[in-house]
Amino acid sequence: MAQAQEYIASGTRWVVDLDLEKFFDRVNHDQLLARVAQRVADKRLLKLVRVFLTAGVMEGGLESPSEEGTPQGGPLSPLLSNVVLDELDRELEARGHRFVRYADDVNIYVSSARAGARVMASISNFISKRLKLKINPAKSAVRRPWGSKLLGFSFTNDRQPKRRIAPAAMRRCKQRLRELTQATRGISAGQMVSEVRSYLRGWMGYFGFCQTPTVLTKLEQWLRRRLRNV
């Protein structure tokens, strides 16, 4: 987020926001293992990775085999996404683009909407033909950074942009706090406060990186009113 903020402040105030369609569901196992094998010689480790990929999932008490993709939420999946998308990083670097990527979230910063459209078409073609992955057209677009979101954050529309919490992330936070502070839960106020504190400690550990403290002050005031009602 700090790197993206630097790009925007330097004048690249348009973003090519790419969403890879069902990325973790569609990664080809053979291609992924071939990429891992380029760096890893230990066959036992390669076998272990394949077992992880093909272990399947439990649905309704029945095991479904995994023929492609990596398990969502699995601890190895983010690392394997970097193995797959390393080629994309190298391509973007070779073209001289300013970009940030976290797992399958890719944002490329450009100076105009026209440049963004060219980059969107070119990189989408590369991703489709070289990586055998698809761009989700419904979620991908050329936008202003303050109209976009990345990892739950967005930016203010200032000459020196500030990191802010994306509205959708704030709505999810409030929804979770509403659930925790329902008066009908049948628990003591002390236990309720303890659960709220536990949730907010983790939430602030992440979203405390924002630079808009007024939003956090308003959230605290809103939460205190709910707790007083309880």
Side-chain angles (χ1 to χ4, degrees):
M1 292 308 302
Q3 180 66 74
Q5 188 177 11
E6 284 186 27
Y7 290 150
I8 299 165
S10 71
T12 48
R13 298 174 76 84
W14 288 86
V15 58
V16 180
D17 188 354
L18 296 173
D19 182 86
L20 300 180
E21 188 170 42
K22 296 183 178 179
F23 173 75
F24 287 102
D25 295 337
R26 292 187 170 176
V27 171
N28 182 280
H29 288 173
D30 291 334
Q31 287 186 342
L32 173 54
L33 287 166
R35 291 175 195 274
V36 176
Q38 290 174 1
R39 302 289 185 92
V40 177
D42 190 334
K43 292 184 178 180
R44 294 170 301 170
L45 181 55
L46 294 174
K47 183 178 180 180
L48 187 62
V49 173
R50 180 175 286 279
V51 168
F52 172 84
L53 292 172
T54 59
V57 294
M58 294 292 289
E59 296 178 317
L62 300 175
E63 182 179 343
S64 299
S66 299
E67 297 178 356
E68 62 179 0
T70 67
Q72 284 219 29
L76 197 57
S77 293
L79 178 61
L80 294 176
S81 74
N82 284 336
V83 172
V84 173
L85 296 175
D86 181 65
E87 189 173 354
L88 174 61
D89 294 343
R90 299 292 166 255
E91 182 68 17
L92 292 172
E93 288 171 353
R95 298 186 185 191
H97 288 309
R98 297 180 171 190
F99 72 98
V100 294
R101 181 180 67 77
Y102 187 90
D104 59 333
D105 286 315
V106 186
N107 277 8
I108 307 168
Y109 294 87
V110 295
S111 56
S112 69
R114 181 177 294 181
R118 287 197 305 268
V119 170
M120 172 70 81
S122 176
I123 296 301
S124 296
N125 185 59
F126 174 84
I127 289 173
S128 173
K129 293 190 174 178
R130 284 289 295 273
L131 303 183
K132 308 301 181 186
L133 296 169
K134 289 182 66 177
I135 297 292
N136 185 341
K139 295 184 178 180
S140 301
V142 179
R143 305 181 173 98
R144 290 293 199 175
W146 41 90
S148 181
K149 63 182 178 66
L150 177 66
L151 305 176
F153 287 93
S154 187
F155 299 96
T156 61
N157 181 14
D158 299 317
R159 185 179 294 275
Q160 292 297 323
K162 294 180 180 179
R163 298 183 298 271
R164 67 183 180 93
I165 303 170
M170 184 60 73
R171 286 195 296 271
R172 286 194 297 270
C173 174
K174 281 191 169 184
Q175 180 57 37
R176 180 58 180 150
L177 290 174
R178 286 190 187 96
E179 294 168 358
L180 291 173
T181 56
Q182 284 181 349
T184 57
R185 290 187 63 205
I187 61 174
S188 69
Q191 183 179 346
M192 184 177 291
V193 169
S194 177
E195 292 179 8
V196 167
R197 181 188 298 119
S198 177
Y199 171 74
L200 283 179
R201 184 182 296 118
W203 190 87
M204 276 297 296
Y206 185 83
F207 286 105
F209 191 56
C210 77
Q211 297 172 310
T212 51
T214 302
V215 174
L216 300 179
T217 301
K218 289 180 178 178
L219 176 64
E220 182 184 27
Q221 293 169 347
W222 175 85
L223 177 59
R224 285 181 181 276
R225 286 195 297 271
R226 284 196 63 86
L227 289 172
R228 279 197 296 271
N229 288 338
V230 173

